[in-house]
């Protein structure tokens, strides 16, 4: 049995916009929020599971229905389209792989926007560019629904442990309503203002992360090339001023050429591409990220798209002639 600690919400949420006055209702009006979750991949599935384990009423959808089965066994409901999930829920969370998927699930023929209405909220936790977020926001506004972008910093393990960081922007009223649910899935959250700011912050964070991993990979390859033990390099780096949890976590498996997927390499390269586009839009040079992007593109050509992004080291080994 899971503990029932899911937050309650005033029932007016279902009949009026979220911004309705708090003093118009009483504790007797409180009812469980009906949560929808769209996209049950590496990140979405554990996030939805944490909501279920906290006693939340969750309805799920995924393109591949079999991925819903573990959630259904935990008590989730299933609907066959994003539109039907949105019709039956108060707040809909979406975790999709890329901008194209995010737009289709939100705004497509059977997208959630078709069933959004005043009193409903859509929270997109996907990593997309600002233009995509703004487009989805416009669709939701056309239905007089509220929108919050809330991309996450963190990969599979933080998602499983409820230790994600949410980078949110959009309707402040929805942020306040969604906050208790974000706190179930994450350890911290930031409200960054207007739609687009959350997307920009996430792309910059992932740009830094991708560049760091590429540089770390170069160091591991070089250390072995000059006769050093790369495992010792991992220990040295982990104890010094440049220590980062990513190096300590990923380093030992990289030395063994093992890349269990926590964050797919194809997604890292996608985020670098989007970050470079963001930089281009404001004429900001990003030569380090641009170079890193080329290495990830080379890794994709080697068939490593679905491996963890730490597998970028394999592209460098190839360059080194290994």
């Amino acid at each position: 049995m899971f503990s029932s600690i899911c937050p309650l919400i005033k029932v007016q949420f279902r009949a009026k916009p979220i911004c309705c006055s708090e003093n118009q209702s009483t504790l007797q009006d409180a009812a469980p929020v009906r949560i929808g979750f769209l996209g049950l991949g590496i990140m979405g599935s554990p996030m939805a599971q944490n909501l279920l384990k906290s006693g939340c009423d969750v309805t799920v959808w995924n393109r591949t229905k079999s991925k819903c089965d573990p959630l259904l066994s935990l008590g989730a409901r299933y609907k066959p389209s994003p539109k039907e999930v949105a019709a039956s829920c108060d707040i809909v969370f979406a975790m999709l792989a890329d901008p194209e998927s995010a737009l289709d699930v939100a705004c497509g023929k059977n997208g959630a926007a078709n069933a959004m209405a005043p009193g409903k909220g859509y929270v997109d936790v996907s990593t997309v560019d600002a233009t995509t977020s703004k487009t989805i926001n416009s669709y939701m506004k056309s239905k007089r629904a509220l929108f919050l972008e809330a991309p996450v910093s963190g990969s599979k393990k933080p998602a499983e442990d409820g230790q994600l960081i949410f980078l949110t922007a959009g309707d402040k009223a929805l942020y306040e309503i969604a906050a208790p649910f974000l706190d179930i899935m994450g350890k911290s959250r930031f409200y960054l203002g207007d739609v687009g700011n959350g997307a920009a912050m996430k792309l910059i964070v992932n740009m830094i992360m991708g560049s760091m991993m590429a540089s770390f990979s170069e160091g591991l390859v070089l250390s072995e090339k000059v006769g050093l033990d790369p495992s010792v390099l991992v220990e040295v780096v982990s104890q010094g001023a440049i220590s980062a949890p990513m190096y300590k976590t990923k380093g030992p498996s990289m030395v063994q050429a093992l890349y269990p997927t926590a964050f797919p390499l194809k997604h890292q390269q996608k985020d670098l591409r989007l970050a470079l586009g963001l930089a281009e839009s404001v004429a900001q040079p990003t030569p380090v990220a641009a170079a890193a992007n080329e290495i990830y593109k080379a890794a994709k050509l080697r068939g490593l798209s679905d491996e963890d992004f730490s597998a970028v080291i394999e592209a460098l080994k190839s360059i080194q002639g290994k």
Side-chain angles (χ1 to χ4, degrees):
M1 294 292 290
F2 300 128
S3 60
S4 184
I5 61 172
C6 192
L8 301 180
I9 193 170
K10 302 294 190 284
V11 294
Q12 277 90 339
F13 182 81
R14 292 170 187 160
K16 301 178 182 179
I18 298 173
C19 57
C20 65
S21 174
E22 286 284 338
N23 60 21
Q24 293 178 356
S25 53
T26 68
L27 288 176
Q28 292 180 340
D29 296 324
V33 185
R34 299 170 301 185
I35 298 294
F37 210 105
L38 310 174
L40 301 173
I42 289 175
M43 299 294 290
S45 182
M47 292 169 72
Q49 285 189 39
N50 284 333
L51 291 171
L52 285 164
K53 291 174 182 178
S54 294
C56 295
D57 181 333
V58 181
T59 300
V60 299
W61 170 87
N62 193 77
R63 280 196 175 93
T64 304
K65 185 179 181 296
S66 60
K67 291 189 176 182
C68 297
D69 293 341
L71 283 299
L72 301 183
S73 69
L74 294 176
R77 297 180 178 87
Y78 170 77
K79 294 291 183 180
S81 73
K83 177 181 177 180
E84 290 171 81
V85 172
S88 65
C89 295
D90 304 308
I91 300 176
V92 178
F93 290 90
M95 173 58 90
L96 290 312
D98 51 48
E100 295 74 22
S101 297
L103 279 171
D104 183 55
V105 168
C107 313
K109 181 179 179 181
N110 292 304
N114 294 292
M116 298 301 288
K120 292 179 180 287
Y122 191 85
V123 183
D124 193 345
V125 296
S126 315
T127 298
V128 299
D129 57 287
T131 299
T132 298
S133 277
K134 291 175 181 178
T135 300
I136 296 173
N137 179 53
S138 294
Y139 270 82
M140 298 305 162
K141 287 294 181 287
S142 73
K143 304 294 184 177
R144 297 177 60 206
L146 298 187
F147 175 73
L148 190 73
E149 61 173 354
V152 302
S153 181
S155 56
K156 180 180 178 182
K157 188 65 164 60
E160 292 171 345
D161 296 342
Q163 294 292 298
L164 296 170
I165 301 168
F166 288 92
L167 307 171
T168 76
D171 287 306
K172 188 66 177 289
L174 180 54
Y175 171 72
E176 292 170 351
I177 291 291
F181 306 102
L182 300 178
D183 291 344
I184 289 170
M185 298 182 285
K187 65 179 181 179
S188 61
R189 48 187 161 83
F190 296 85
Y191 181 75
L192 304 171
D194 295 336
V195 172
N197 289 345
M201 181 69 81
K202 176 57 191 300
L203 292 178
I204 292 169
V205 168
N206 277 19
M207 179 188 77
I208 295 169
M209 180 175 72
S211 300
M212 287 172 62
M213 179 56 77
S215 181
F216 183 54
S217 296
E218 281 188 331
L220 290 175
V221 172
L222 178 59
S223 69
E224 186 172 9
K225 199 77 170 181
V226 299
L228 298 173
D229 184 345
S231 296
V232 176
L233 175 63
V234 173
E235 292 185 32
V236 172
V237 169
S238 298
Q239 294 182 33
I242 62 170
S243 175
M246 179 175 72
Y247 298 152
K248 187 173 183 178
T249 301
K250 304 284 189 183
S253 59
M254 292 171 71
V255 171
Q256 299 177 58
L258 299 174
Y259 314 106
T261 305
F263 181 47
L265 186 143
K266 63 185 177 183
H267 292 170
Q268 175 63 80
Q269 193 277 317
K270 176 262 295 183
D271 293 348
L272 278 166
R273 172 176 58 82
L274 294 176
L276 291 171
L278 175 65
E280 179 68 21
S281 72
V282 293
Q284 173 60 49
T286 48
V288 174
N293 185 48
E294 294 303 315
I295 302 170
Y296 284 95
K297 287 165 63 177
K300 286 176 64 177
L301 290 174
R302 288 179 55 83
L304 299 169
S305 291
D306 293 320
E307 299 289 332
D308 188 74
F309 78 115
S310 56
V312 70
I313 192 174
E314 293 295 331
L316 290 165
K317 290 178 181 178
S318 176
I319 294 171
Q320 293 287 338
K322 291 193 71 172

